[in-house]
Amino acid sequence: MGIDALSPVAPARIRCLLLPSGKITRSRFLTFVERLQQESTVRLGDVSPNTKSQRNMFSPLAFPTGLAIYDMTTVNPPSSHLALAPFELYREPLIVIGIADGPNILHGEDGDALDSVNSHGNSTLQGSSRGSIDRVRRLRDHFPRALVHQRLIFDCDSGTSSPPPDVILVPSLARSKTTTMKTVMCDLTALLLVEMTSYAKSLQALLIIETPKSLQDQRYSSDYIYTSNSQLDGIPRPESRISQSPKSRSSSPVTDVRHSIPSPMTVAASDDVDERRTSRPPSNGYKTPPIASDHINGVSEAQQSSGDKERLRRLSRDRVAIQGFGSGSVGERARNKAKGRKGVVLGSLYLLAGRWPDALRELIESATVARSLSDHVWHAKALDYILVCLLVCAWAGMDFEIPQICYPLGDKTSPGLGKTSKHNSLNSIPDLTPLKSPNAANRHVSLQNLCTLLPDLVNNILHLYVRAATFTADQLPQISYSESAIRFAKLLTVIENAHGSLDDQGLQLVVLNVDTNAKITTIPSQLASFPTKAEIAGVLLKALPNSATETSLDANDRVHILVGIASVLSKLGYHRKKAFIMRELVIILLPALIQSRKDSAAELGVHPAASISSYELTGNNKGFEEVLGTLHDSASGIQSFLNLMCKVYGVVVSEQTGILSGTSALTDTDHKDGTDIKSINPDSLQSVVGCIIEDARTRSFGDLSLKVNVLRLCINVCEALPDLSGVLHFSGDLLKTAASGLAVGPESRDGSPALSIEDQARLLSNISRTVGAARKLNISNADAEYWDDFLIRDIEITHTSTLKSPSPRKMRQLGDGLALGSDSMVSPFIYNPFGTKSDPATIEPLLVVGEEAAFSVLCQNLFDSDLDIEWIRLDTLEGSIDAAAKDLMIGPYRIQVIELLGVPTIAGLLRITGCIVKVKGCRERRFPIFKSPWKSTGETKFKRVGLALAVMRTEHPTSSESEAAHSHQDIVSRGPVFTTLDINVTGPQPNVVFKKTSLLQSAIMLLEGETRRFTITLRNISNTTPVDILSLSFSDPASSILKSSLSNKDRSPQELYEIELASHKRETLKWRREDSGAEIKIAPNEDLLLDIEVVGKLGLTQGSIHIDYGYLGVDKTEVKDECFTRQISFSFTITVNPSIDLVRNDFLPFTGDFAWLNQKKKSGSNESAHSTPPDRRSRAVSRLTLKPENRFQSLLERLGLGNQGSDHFLLLLDFHNSWPKPLSISVQVREKTTPQEPSPLDLWKRAYTAHEVLQPGQTSRLVLLLPRIFLPNPYAPIPSLNSTTKRQFIHSSSTALDNETERTAREAFWLREEILKLMRASWTEDATGRTGQIELRTLRLNPRMVDAIKLEEMGIDLAITADSISEPDTESIHPVTQLARSSFRVPVGAFLTLSATITNRLQTPIYPLIRLQPSLRNQQYNIALDLGRKFAFNGLMQQALPLLRPGESKEVQLGVVFLVTGEFEIRASVEEVRIWKDRAAATKDDRGGDASDLGMARLLERTERRAWQAREPCVVHVVGDG
């Protein structure tokens, strides 16, 4: 922020006037000013003191921690402000600096001729010394009341040892050090402090200092006020000139300075300012403060001149005092009053010099004297200066004590003073210590005490000013009183905004006007006695001049006061009061501006009463252009000021455009260069909607007639400036404020504006004339803002080209021979509240580049005048189209259709967002499409009234999510909804036709399962456009029926899986490509051969081939979303006859003895066969021996020798030949896949094949041997092959099915899938060589078949072995003989070992418990278990085993003895003792069905303890000795 002229600490700032000196551009002058302003604070410790003791009254050594604060200004104060010195010395500039441009001086462009050039050829400044001295002398002549006159030459890098006197050389920024400018300011401060000494001594020589008077009370002219005699009361005015500078620094460019006693001050301009601007002629006398006498007996009221000195002396000799002598005499009172006033001025000098302790001392003493003598004005001013001293001390981080003189009553002590402060003397000077001292805690207490005292102190000061005007002849000028009230109110406002406290942040704002924008983390307690905002506003409004004092102020002072009041009201939040003050300010400005307009009109030779927009600038417009250029910056500030006032009154203010804002007209590249127009253009779609909502909210409050009056006042001000842009801006705002703001519909009643027809016509005519005047002045972008945002209501396509339009297709749909939509991914959720809703709107017809299309634009005009449209064109956010029209007119108060013809020029998405319209007299702007009627609904519940309705509401605190939802809901429910017209545009497309096909009469005949091929030839008949994208899709009645079956929700998951497999994974029609990875292209006038494969299925009667083709022009990988293709179709007839059918199937268990025998033969262990008796061996072999011609001979010999184990089952398949010719069938069965055999082709090579020839109508059975199957997770969910039919929960549709039935169905499904993976079948017609595949998916399983197929989860194997310890008499007994895998022959009475091996095939560990149960074979249950004297065992028949991990096996042994001969049977069972805690997680589905099942597999998982039985019992044949 800049320096505030009405700052609470303004009396502590040294005003420094910066003026251009010589030839210098505005930009460089402002740059140099900014460099000086950056060093506006100078520490006294850095300033070199003067070596002469008689000039060290303000020596910086007395208070090195003090600060000199500068107010760098480029504007000379008005005469009314200068008249207040020395009462308010801070108002006049004490330092005048002429800023010169060094390069201009070096090149001789400054007017100072260079007299010499050094030996190196470089220019020096020695030749320009005389010119610089003359310019400094002119500054001194024009500003004689200033104490220091210096000329600063910036960017002067030329080396010199002796610059001219009163000239400081400042190097360029590149060659400057960090302390360069600080050194310059320190040198200037040193000069000022020296000159202050002479000025202070001249003040002490005065008899008395008169209180400044208001204009109507001044008895002397303004010229006489600012001049004085060279001598006063015989006291000489010495003028001293110091030849040597203060103690120099090595980096200081100052070599010679001049110090002088202040001379009579004259308000004048700089040497480069016109002489007409000087308000006072220069005086040749010495510089002295203005003097006057007070209205007391014995003292004359007239000013004394130098010629009347002797006469005054004679009168003094003849004068006799009436009241005697002593302290109470009139003379003594006059001398004390003069002493007190001099002390106040001297204290202000100390305050300016940064000597704050000395300032406090002088001010406290002077305030005490002024209070005792009832000198109310000077008493109040002393208190004012004391308050400023305390504030700057607090800002500098010093501890201070509030002087007792500041309290309203002399005996009143500071609250809490005795408890917290160490200062005991009531009248002593406050102890100012640095912040780092141990008294730093007292600073906080002192600040709090100051905040507590401040309201009473402010009231006391203002009361003293009022009391002086009431009871004495001293009446303070209104400008001084008003500024004091404003400064005090501003200070109170800063404290009130900080919740009644004054911290470092507030002090920065008060002293330097720097807002740190730091948030208050802790809210201090509000002082109970601190004024409220209303009370502060009451203090502020005392600054308003009343009718009696209003005449004493000129227009500049009244504007100055009103601006200060409005600024403080804004900080208090009283915007309505601020608007009232601003309106009064405009009323004051308007007469002055009108007078200025008259003067300008007189210079231009036009009638003074003519409006600026009606000037006829035929040829003499050069001067007028200069006037407009001069007022450019002021007009910009005036417009911002008027806009702020209009917003408070509820005026619909549009965005600033035109001359001042620099907003250029829209071009075709606004949204095509990659720049986001929403962030830089106010005409973006979201911005327009937001403005409509804001305008509707603004219209809802305030009085319309008052708004109209304010806007007319703004128009008058802009016409008086003259400001053409402001006239257009506020004329448009007036029309916009009076507009209804409606998007009318069929049910709308009245949407006309709240202006008469004559006023509408007058405003439109005024806009037209103003625009015409701007055109004649070559002013660009001088246009008004159109007042109706609902100009465009709808845009539609009326007709497109007669050519066939391409269709949009997704790139994933254009697969090689895949049906459309087969790979499209959809969400598995039936309802997803967080998903993106699809737009149900239909896509408009596709446009092609270069083909013309017609559009209908619906326009709205609710005003009672014709609307002239210079031109209109479609606005697109994406794509490009040339659609425009010129010179159109819309009738009054109607909705009219405009036809536009356009041709798209760029392929891609064409998104039409509205139109860009240029209305006559208005700027071109973007208008969105508002298709639906809209009207502001207003507030249903009022929580705020007045101005708060126009402010964006902030409801109770909510989260960011709810706030965003509320904002979106507010826009949807209350704001208008803009629409867009999306049209797809594609480039030139080729034209492809069918040339020929290999099918005769477009028909084909097949057998069921047979595959045949035919060809189709395509030709591109286009002459220029090739085909670079080609995709085939197929359709047939069978696939359509299958797809329709998928919609039946009553089907079971098994049925849905079969339907999806038949329709999506086993296509009837395919496109066979030899080079599947190559791109397909058809050049113009070229052919392409397509190879189509047909698979015979029953029910297939007709097929269609759909060929999508198009031209992309780029690689397919670059197209991310969709493309546009044309489509041709080819249909043909299909006849499918039945061939081989699978009519029945069965599954039977198969013994494992064959595998055991093969394993035994392989190991070479044939001892049991040799030891077998002949009779028994013949019976055993007879069961296993196969005839040589048996076709299972080779198969049975291989059982148990591979990796498939010894458990198998039989599969019986019955095939029927429905073809009238013999067909041979082949069924292949392969082994199960293992991790060591990843290639399926190798498995089919080693598969065994069963062959059979079926005659016509014959049914034959094939017997196949397959390994038993183990399922790790038999209850896994049944997957869905088509992603479009995935559902959230897959379960059997029948409610009668329980979980057990569901388990059985799922287990049968997965077993069937595993079986189908191990086998395949085909048929062959030997006569013709035709082949085909036999459909095996008709296999069906029941629970009995499932038991024959599946392999148990827990393997239990029993075996009998001889005991290792045998008695000697048992050696002759035959040993244990194994007859089969689970059959043994043992001698009676032998010690044997029964071994039970348990194998865990599950994926989870178990805690097993094994039970062994021997019994007699082939006996009744009660007899079979009676083993008391027949069987003996050593151990436990039931025992718990340790944890059995997945894939682990454990063996349990038990010593047994069979006591009698016969056949025994031993059965075994395993029971789960304890359930494994993580069983469900371990049985996780590995088939990818968890996501679709959503927990059903976990529901079907068995949670109870399980038990398993051995599939085969151990049969023991016990034989005797014989």
Side-chain angles (χ1 to χ4, degrees), residues 1091-1350:
D1091 190 3
I1092 307 301
E1093 181 182 270
V1094 185
V1095 179
K1097 290 184 180 181
L1098 291 179
L1100 188 61
T1101 59
Q1102 188 178 9
S1104 297
I1105 304 174
H1106 308 286
I1107 302 175
D1108 294 274
Y1109 66 93
Y1111 175 69
L1112 296 177
V1114 295
D1115 189 69
K1116 294 180 181 180
T1117 57
E1118 299 181 10
V1119 182
K1120 302 299 182 182
D1121 191 8
E1122 63 180 10
C1123 62
F1124 302 94
T1125 61
R1126 287 193 172 102
Q1127 187 182 86
I1128 56 176
S1129 300
F1130 174 75
S1131 300
F1132 58 96
T1133 304
I1134 304 176
T1135 302
V1136 179
N1137 295 319
S1139 56
I1140 299 297
D1141 299 330
L1142 177 61
V1143 294
R1144 284 180 300 274
N1145 65 275
D1146 196 3
F1147 296 86
L1148 299 175
F1150 187 71
T1151 181
D1153 294 340
F1154 290 96
W1156 168 79
L1157 183 60
N1158 292 334
Q1159 293 174 355
K1160 186 175 182 180
K1161 290 180 179 181
K1162 182 178 180 180
S1163 61
S1165 301
N1166 298 324
E1167 297 178 358
S1168 60
H1170 293 291
S1171 61
T1172 304
D1175 55 347
R1176 295 184 179 275
R1177 183 170 64 250
S1178 61
R1179 289 196 298 269
V1181 175
S1182 64
R1183 294 196 300 268
L1184 300 178
T1185 302
L1186 300 177
K1187 296 181 179 180
E1189 64 272 15
N1190 195 311
R1191 59 185 176 186
F1192 292 104
Q1193 181 71 32
S1194 60
L1195 176 62
L1196 294 177
E1197 292 177 355
R1198 292 164 49 190
L1199 293 179
L1201 300 180
N1203 297 326
Q1204 305 302 322
S1206 59
D1207 294 324
H1208 293 77
F1209 66 91
L1210 292 177
L1211 173 60
L1212 307 180
L1213 300 177
D1214 294 343
F1215 294 101
H1216 176 75
N1217 182 11
S1218 301
W1219 184 243
K1221 293 182 181 181
L1223 297 176
S1224 61
I1225 61 175
S1226 299
V1227 180
Q1228 285 184 296
V1229 179
R1230 66 174 177 86
E1231 297 178 353
K1232 292 188 295 184
T1233 305
T1234 58
Q1236 292 77 16
E1237 298 175 352
S1239 177
L1241 297 178
D1242 297 338
L1243 296 177
W1244 287 113
K1245 289 180 180 179
R1246 292 182 294 176
Y1248 72 89
T1249 306
H1251 299 279
E1252 188 71 28
V1253 177
L1254 297 182
Q1255 298 299 324
Q1258 180 186 357
T1259 300
S1260 178
R1261 173 171 291 182
L1262 292 182
V1263 180
L1264 303 175
L1265 193 62
L1266 283 81
R1268 294 173 62 192
I1269 300 171
F1270 172 73
L1271 296 176
N1273 186 11
Y1275 311 131
I1278 300 174
S1280 178
L1281 302 179
N1282 185 13
S1283 59
T1284 60
T1285 59
K1286 285 186 177 181
R1287 292 171 291 176
Q1288 287 179 275
F1289 193 81
I1290 298 179
H1291 202 306
S1292 298
S1293 58
S1294 177
T1295 58
L1297 298 179
D1298 55 3
N1299 291 340
E1300 187 62 32
T1301 307
E1302 184 70 20
R1303 293 191 190 99
T1304 304
R1306 291 194 178 190
E1307 187 177 20
F1309 173 82
W1310 290 116
L1311 289 174
R1312 177 171 171 269
E1313 290 298 315
E1314 295 296 328
I1315 293 172
L1316 292 176
K1317 291 178 182 178
L1318 300 178
M1319 55 186 301
R1320 65 182 181 181
S1322 62
W1323 57 265
T1324 303
E1325 187 179 9
D1326 297 332
T1328 60
R1330 301 168 66 178
T1331 61
Q1333 298 294 326
I1334 301 176
E1335 183 60 62
L1336 297 179
R1337 298 199 66 85
T1338 56
L1339 287 173
R1340 294 294 179 264
L1341 278 72
N1342 54 31
R1344 178 186 60 81
M1345 300 177 183
V1346 170
D1347 293 337
I1349 297 172
K1350 72 176 182 178

Side-chain angles (χ1 to χ4, degrees), residues 925-950:
R925 56 162 291 190
R926 182 178 289 106
F927 290 92
I929 305 173
F930 295 104
K931 191 173 183 179
S932 303
W934 182 82
K935 180 181 180 181
S936 178
T937 57
E939 296 286 346
T940 56
K941 295 181 179 180
F942 292 94
K943 293 185 178 180
R944 298 186 181 186
V945 294
L947 185 62
L949 290 176

Side-chain angles (χ1 to χ4, degrees), residues 1369-1417:
D1369 57 354
T1370 61
E1371 295 179 356
S1372 60
I1373 302 177
H1374 297 285
V1376 177
T1377 303
Q1378 186 174 2
L1379 304 178
R1381 186 175 67 171
S1382 298
S1383 180
F1384 299 88
R1385 187 182 60 199
V1386 299
V1388 63
F1391 290 94
L1392 306 175
T1393 301
L1394 175 62
S1395 300
T1397 303
I1398 304 175
T1399 303
N1400 183 13
R1401 297 190 181 99
L1402 295 173
Q1403 296 179 353
T1404 58
I1406 64 171
Y1407 296 92
L1409 173 68
I1410 187 171
R1411 289 188 178 94
L1412 299 176
Q1413 186 177 0
S1415 62
L1416 295 176
R1417 191 181 184 192

